[in-house]
Amino acid sequence: MDYAASRDEALARIAAAQDLGALETLRVEFLGKQGSVSGLLKTLGGMSADERQAVGPQIHALRESVSEALTTRKAALESAALDAQLAVETIDLTLPASETPRGSIHPVSQVMDELAEIFADMGFAVATGPEIEDDWHNFTALNIPESHPARAMHDTFYFPDKDGEGRAMLLRTHTSPVQIRAMLGQGAPIRIIAPGRVYRSDSDATHTPMFHQVEGLVIDRGITLGHLKWTLETFLKAFFERDDIVLRLRPSYFPFTEPSVEVDVGFAIVNGKRVLGGSGDAPGHGWMELLGSGMVNRKVIAAGGLDPDEWQGFAFGVGVDRLAMLKYGMDDLRAFFDGDVRWAAHYGFNPHDVPTLSGGVGTAA
Ligand code: PHE
């Protein structure tokens, strides 16, 4: 028998197979239980030892060649099939959308964009810092030493391991560590806001374990409490789009500011709802606590690598989620982070409504 001729014929037919189905039929025809090559292998059993020695290697080589050809052809057909599928499934991203996008901008993102726009107009840049902080930036440099009760008050989430310098690692409990990073990183003068996520182990209708703050920091020569009050007033009037916003500064305490002032904003009760505007002392009015602030403590300026005799400044911190709730009328903070598309559709903002000072920073949802 001419094994070479059988091999050449089999290989030619395998190479000509046009699809995986045809190839499988050939595999069965050659190598299946009743296959022709399998049949040849079976004949070995009935041969004399001499015969087997002469013919055996040829039959095995034939089986080897056929099996190899089948594998090669199979891979080629599969990759051709994939190429064809990829060609058919190509998406032309330059085509116009056939449907209006359904997504909307989350109120927190919207308010952060509004803040950036308002403060940019006053010469503030946007700064950021890491959400995973070390306890030196989050506490120590801000004049909150290890034994300070404020550390316990912050309900801090700690990581099990310390960093390379032996500092405890934590999820930042406020945006104030960005004050330190800005001073060390850029020196003075400074005018920044630092919006971002912060974390405290706390949860009810008005507290979530993750929430958002925006920090403000100004460092320059001759900065006073007057600059702080003007900045906050200008910001809040622009943000709430009302000229009758009235602030009340109350003495308070933060380790990183001295003196510290809590800022209240006057509101009126209209149809059972609190509406910001007017003095909180007027009949039917009240004061609402809005943010913490103060003159940057000399120790903090020194921790930031600056000379407190030359540089002064003010800082403030305010809850972004709270600002959003007040401006856009949501009452449950937890809904902010539930990811319910009905809530997002109701309170979300059109992606095309970019807040601008010229177009308005308060476009209603
Ligand atoms: N970091 C303070 C807080 O989270 C807020 C604050 C910032 C107060 C800056 C004063 C100055 O409560």
Side-chain angles (χ1 to χ4, degrees), residues 281-305:
D281 292 330
H285 284 58
W287 294 108
M288 185 189 317
E289 190 181 312
L290 194 60
L291 57 87
S293 64
M295 302 304 294
V296 181
N297 192 309
R298 291 175 59 88
K299 290 184 188 169
V300 173
I301 292 181

Side-chain angles (χ1 to χ4, degrees), residues 20 77-91:
L20 291 166
L77 286 173
E78 279 173 349
S79 100
L82 183 60
D83 285 347
Q85 191 182 359
L86 287 174
V88 168
E89 290 181 358
T90 300
I91 297 171

Side-chain angles (χ1 to χ4, degrees), residues 174 176 179 200 213 215 254 256-257 292-294 315-317:
H174 52 178
S176 299
Q179 290 187 32
R200 290 181 202 177
Q213 283 188 336
E215 193 82 5
F254 298 102
F256 32 92
T257 46
S293 64
F316 60 87

Side-chain angles (χ1 to χ4, degrees), residues 129-150:
E131 290 169 33
I132 296 175
E133 261 296 5
D134 58 71
D135 68 350
W136 186 81
H137 285 92
N138 195 82
F139 290 128
T140 315
L142 290 164
N143 192 34
I144 313 177
E146 209 130 325
S147 57
H148 199 285

Side-chain angles (χ1 to χ4, degrees), residues 54-124:
V55 187
Q58 296 186 56
I59 297 180
H60 279 295
L62 170 63
R63 200 195 70 91
E64 209 39 47
S65 304
V66 168
S67 153
E68 212 170 275
L70 284 167
T71 307
T72 309
R73 184 66 187 150
K74 188 169 182 220
L77 286 173
E78 279 173 349
S79 100
L82 183 60
D83 285 347
Q85 191 182 359
L86 287 174
V88 168
E89 290 181 358
T90 300
I91 297 171
D92 184 350
L93 294 173
T94 63
L95 288 174
S98 54
E99 275 181 51
T100 318
R102 289 180 55 194
S104 58
I105 303 295
H106 194 283
V108 171
S109 302
Q110 175 77 14
V111 166
M112 283 186 176
D113 289 348
E114 293 175 12
L115 295 171
E117 181 67 13
I118 292 169
F119 278 101
D121 196 50
M122 292 194 269
F124 286 65

